[in-house]
Amino acid sequence: MPDHTPGLHLIVDLFGASHLDDMTTLDSALRGAAAAAGATVLADHLHHFGEGHGVTGVLVLAESHISIHTWPETGYAAVDIFLCGRSDAHKAADHLRAVLRPERVVITEIARGQG
Amino acid sequence: MPDHTPGLHLIVDLFGASHLDDMTTLDSALRGAAAAAGATVLADHLHHFGEGHGVTGVLVLAESHISIHTWPETGYAAVDIFLCGRSDAHKAADHLRAVLRPERVVITEIARGQG
């Protein structure tokens, strides 16, 4: 069993959020979140499911990953911020909140790998 | 607020698992997990942090994502299986367990987007 915590995983649910069908804003928001946290982007992939539909975006990081899946029709976005090492997951969450301006946010913290 | 659940997110922690520094096996395991769940792969990205170190792998799916981050030095792997629609996240988890043969598994179910 590991004697350390590999990482902090924030499960972030955004309700009443904006820009959820806007690839450019979402890409910028994810990269800004990684930068705010002090994380290093290894790869990214965004996919738009078509006009009026949602976007899936994933940043693969040296410190794990940040992902977003959006439902613009309801204003809901499911965000995961899983960061290891010294990067600060809450700063990434703060950045996404500032850009996507949800009416309500629910954040659940999970310490991964504690056993 | 959405009147439906966008997806089931399984937080899967594997302890005492095998093949955690083996890119080929992990890539195959992730794709097999997606297939077992009935999910469609849009993109994948795997990164090996070097000899004796871990692997990060993410499958971007039409139904959300599957990710794995491994620590071969402790036998720990952090898996996320976030699937929307009719795909079956538990079948994906079963597939990964069969391939990676952990001594112990902890699965937490999170229904995303319920409000």
Side-chain angles (χ1 to χ4, degrees), chain B residues 83-99:
Chain B
L83 294 177
C84 304
R86 297 187 181 184
S87 49
D88 186 336
H90 284 287
K91 288 186 179 172
D94 289 346
H95 182 84
L96 289 169
R97 291 172 73 154
V99 176

Side-chain angles (χ1 to χ4, degrees), chain A residues 33-89:
Chain A
T40 301
V41 178
L42 298 176
D44 72 342
H45 185 87
L46 276 87
H47 181 86
H48 197 163
F49 291 95
E51 184 69 24
H53 294 287
V55 172
T56 275
V58 177
L59 294 189
V60 179
L61 306 173
E63 299 81 5
S64 290
H65 73 270
I66 298 176
S67 63
I68 190 166
H69 307 287
T70 75
W71 284 261
E73 63 273 30
T74 58
Y76 172 70
V79 172
D80 288 84
I81 301 168
F82 182 2
L83 296 177
C84 303
R86 297 186 182 184
S87 50
D88 186 336

Side-chain angles (χ1 to χ4, degrees), chain A residues 1 6 9 11-13 15 43 45 47 56 58 60 64-65 67 69 71 76 78-80 82 84 104 112-113 115, chain B residues 6 9 11-13 15 42-43 45 47 49 56 58 60 64-65 67 69 71 76 78-80 82 84 104 112-113 115:
Chain A
M1 191 181 304
H9 187 159
I11 304 283
V12 184
D13 288 317
F15 299 94
H45 185 87
H47 181 86
T56 275
V58 177
V60 179
S64 290
H65 73 270
S67 63
H69 307 287
W71 284 261
Y76 172 70
V79 172
D80 288 84
F82 182 2
C84 303
R104 192 163 60 87
R112 302 294 298 268
Chain B
H9 187 159
I11 304 284
V12 184
D13 288 316
F15 299 94
L42 299 176
H45 185 86
H47 181 85
F49 290 95
T56 276
V58 177
V60 179
S64 290
H65 73 271
S67 63
H69 306 287
W71 283 260
Y76 171 70
V79 172
D80 288 84
F82 182 3
C84 304
R104 191 163 61 87
R112 302 293 299 266

